[in-house]
Amino acid sequence: MSNRTTVLSKIRRSLGVEGTEVSRRAAVTDRLQRPPKGVIPARGQLAPAERLALFQTMAEKVSATVERVASADDVPAALAAYLRSKNLPAEARRGRDPRLEAMPWDSQKNLDMRVGPSDGRDVVGLSHAQTAIAEAGTLVLTSGPSNPTTLNFLPDHHVVVVEAASIVGDIETALATIRATHGKGEMPRTVNFVTGPSRSGDIEQTILLGAHGPRALHIVIVGEP
């Protein structure tokens, strides 16, 4: 008998159940089919334009920088401009997300756009967020073959593209969006909630950016809400 089996057996005995009860199985099935929602704060329950403004405000409060572009075709130029503004090399790494793949990278002749997971030597990583949460200024990034999680954490600078229309008010709606996009049984292995650049205040209660990940987070919002 494995340690896991031993522990679960003790729990069943203490509860006076065997695990085969019809009512308990029905309760579990119902919860999986209809996941309950928690209390949803009113702060994010706004009209689309106001929700976008709240997201930008909250993101900037936690040291992220935000810019808006009219369309996805403007993203390569925005990335190139960001690199110049930070005096960074004209190079970055992205995944094979179809939304990023469709952008006109050839329009930036001097930009070296690499593709694939980061090995830790990339200065700039580019990702596309699945959605974002206005009430906290949080980006929601899902993992997969086209979206390497290494890009979220290893480069010093993380640039994230998010569509204005995908920004929601609260975490419950964001989770529902992920379920609707991927479907039950097909959820991504990892969902990263990113709020501002990495930081720590462990040493003398002094905030240090880049302690456990990117030292800078730049958000590019595409289109209108």
Side-chain angles (χ1 to χ4, degrees), residues 81-104:
Y82 175 79
L83 297 178
R84 289 193 298 271
S85 72
K86 300 298 182 181
N87 198 29
L88 295 171
E91 59 187 40
R93 182 175 293 276
R94 63 172 174 83
R96 297 187 180 278
D97 188 296
R99 296 163 294 189
L100 297 178
E101 292 265 79
M103 293 174 183

Side-chain angles (χ1 to χ4, degrees), residues 164-211:
S166 74
I167 297 174
V168 299
D170 50 81
I171 187 173
E172 288 81 5
T173 304
L175 292 173
T177 298
I178 294 172
R179 291 190 189 99
T181 300
H182 295 271
K184 290 184 180 297
E186 301 294 335
M187 295 289 281
R189 184 174 185 178
T190 303
V191 178
N192 294 126
F193 293 85
V194 175
T195 308
S198 170
R199 67 185 64 215
S200 174
D202 292 343
I203 301 175
E204 297 183 350
Q205 297 183 348
T206 300
I207 295 298
L208 174 67
L209 297 181

Side-chain angles (χ1 to χ4, degrees), residues 32-196:
L32 291 174
Q33 293 297 326
R34 297 185 301 171
K37 292 183 178 180
V39 176
I40 300 176
R43 181 169 59 181
Q45 310 310 301
L46 303 168
E50 295 172 329
R51 191 163 60 232
L52 189 154
L54 176 62
F55 170 76
Q56 180 168 349
T57 297
M58 298 304 293
E60 291 174 342
K61 278 187 176 181
V62 290
S63 304
T65 54
V66 181
E67 72 170 298
R68 296 186 60 184
V69 298
S71 73
D73 289 346
D74 299 319
V75 171
L79 175 61
Y82 175 79
L83 297 178
R84 289 193 298 271
S85 72
K86 300 298 182 181
N87 198 29
L88 295 171
E91 59 187 40
R93 182 175 293 276
R94 63 172 174 83
R96 297 187 180 278
D97 188 296
R99 296 163 294 189
L100 297 178
E101 292 265 79
M103 293 174 183
W105 298 107
D106 290 343
S107 65
Q108 301 302 310
K109 302 301 182 183
N110 296 324
L111 179 61
D112 180 12
M113 179 56 68
R114 302 165 185 176
V115 180
S118 176
D119 61 4
R121 291 180 290 180
D122 301 293
V123 177
V124 179
L126 176 68
S127 304
H128 201 300
Q130 177 81 41
T131 181
I133 302 168
E135 67 179 3
T138 298
L139 297 161
V140 182
L141 300 143
T142 55
S143 68
S146 298
N147 297 284
T149 300
T150 52
L151 295 177
N152 302 344
F153 299 108
L154 298 185
D156 269 352
H157 293 255
H158 192 198
V159 180
V160 180
V161 180
V162 63
E163 296 167 7
S166 74
I167 297 174
V168 299
D170 50 81
I171 187 173
E172 288 81 5
T173 304
L175 292 173
T177 298
I178 294 172
R179 291 190 189 99
T181 300
H182 295 271
K184 290 184 180 297
E186 301 294 335
M187 295 289 281
R189 184 174 185 178
T190 303
V191 178
N192 294 126
F193 293 85
V194 175
T195 308

